[in-house]
């Protein structure tokens, strides 16, 4: 079956390393001590180098140069360090052009990092707590596109026809033609990589938060971050303008028109440092 062949292709991805997975688990565990976390990270030279490089970027703007894992954890906090470790291990999967989605080399990575940063900003502005999985989920939400790219490329004409003639969203048409959509496939990848159920749900429902059946607003936040990215022209490929907009999800988050403007303005102000962050993380693999 076509779907079985697609699922077999998951193995071509570079998974999060065992050491990074261990570090993430500890960082997301409130009972872990800073010493335990530092001891796991500091013995992985690549992880340490990537982490320090990103922490010292202009986006985070440390007052003085961060030169050790202990300093990084103390300055950034455990949740951000966990997010940066995943970012440092993920770029290679997203770097190539995704011609099926009309995204040039590096565009999917730029889109993924931007979406994760905007999701984090929304959570901070709306005082949404207890969401350590939010950044990572937003960062990896489109991992299914990497595997599905070739299949979508071959079927793009039929997918676009369903969007234009039948009023389907891109993801609905994608599933109708290919048999599985990139969000569902992304959730299966997250399951294979032993990500938490919360992270799998965010990835699966990031285009359709109303179907999530959960009170976790993280799904809504990542959906909104994705929407804002497309509004400002980031990640707008062959599918970018063919998704549904849910005003009730925006209302649920109590996002006002002023909030929208502030999120977009803040991101644009930081754009130069964001691009540096994307370049640094993208060059780590």
């Amino acid at each position: 079956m076509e779907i079985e062949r697609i699922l077999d292709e998951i193995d071509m991805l570079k998974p999060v390393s065992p050491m990074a997975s261990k570090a993430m688990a500890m960082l997301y565990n409130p009972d872990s001590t800073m010493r335990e976390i530092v001891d796991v990270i500091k013995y992985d030279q690549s992880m340490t180098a990537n982490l320090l490089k990103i922490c010292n970027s202009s986006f985070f703007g440390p007052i003085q140069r961060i030169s050790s894992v202990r300093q990084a954890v103390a300055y950034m906090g455990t949740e951000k360090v966990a997010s940066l470790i995943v970012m440092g291990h993920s770029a290679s999967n997203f770097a190539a052009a995704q011609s099926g989605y009309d995204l040039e080399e590096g565009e999917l990575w730029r889109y993924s990092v931007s979406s994760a940063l905007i999701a984090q900003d929304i959570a901070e502005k709306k005082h949404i707590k207890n969401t350590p999985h939010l950044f990572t989920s937003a960062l990896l939400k489109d991992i299914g596109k990497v595997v599905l790219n070739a299949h979508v490329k071959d079927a793009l004409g039929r997918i676009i026809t369903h969007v234009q003639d039948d009023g389907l969203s891109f993801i609905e048409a994608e599933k109708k033609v290919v048999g599985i959509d990139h969000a569902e496939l992304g959730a299966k990848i997250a399951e294979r990589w032993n990500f938490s159920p919360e992270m799998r749900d965010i990835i699966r429902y990031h285009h359709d938060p109303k179907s999530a059946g959960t009170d976790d607003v993280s799904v809504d936040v990542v959906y909104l971050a994705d929407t804002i990215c497309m509004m400002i022209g980031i990640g707008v490929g062959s599918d970018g303008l063919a998704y549904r907009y849910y005003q009730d999800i925006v209302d649920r988050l109590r996002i006002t028109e002023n909030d929208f403007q502030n999120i977009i303005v803040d991101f644009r102000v930081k754009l130069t440092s964001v691009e540096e962050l994307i370049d640094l993380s993208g060059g780590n693999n």
Side-chain angles (χ1 to χ4, degrees), residues 6 31 38 56 64 79 101 105 118 120 128 132 134 173 185-186 188 190 200 202 215 227 230 269 275:
I6 291 171
D31 295 327
V38 170
N56 283 300
Q64 60 183 24
E79 289 183 16
Y101 294 95
E105 183 177 342
I118 291 172
Q120 192 173 64
I128 297 170
L134 192 148
L185 181 58
K188 291 183 181 299
R200 298 200 296 266
I202 292 172
D215 293 329
T227 300
M230 287 185 268
V269 166
E275 292 292 352

Side-chain angles (χ1 to χ4, degrees), residues 96-117:
Q98 307 297 325
S99 55
Y101 294 95
D102 195 24
L103 294 171
E104 296 180 0
E105 183 177 342
E107 277 196 284
L108 185 57
W109 182 237
R110 182 174 185 262
Y111 173 40
S112 299
V113 174
S114 298
S115 182
L117 292 171

Side-chain angles (χ1 to χ4, degrees), residues 201-216:
D201 279 347
I202 292 172
I203 293 170
R204 177 177 282 112
Y205 297 113
H206 73 271
H207 286 302
D208 186 20
K210 297 178 75 170
S211 297
T214 176
D215 293 329
D216 184 1

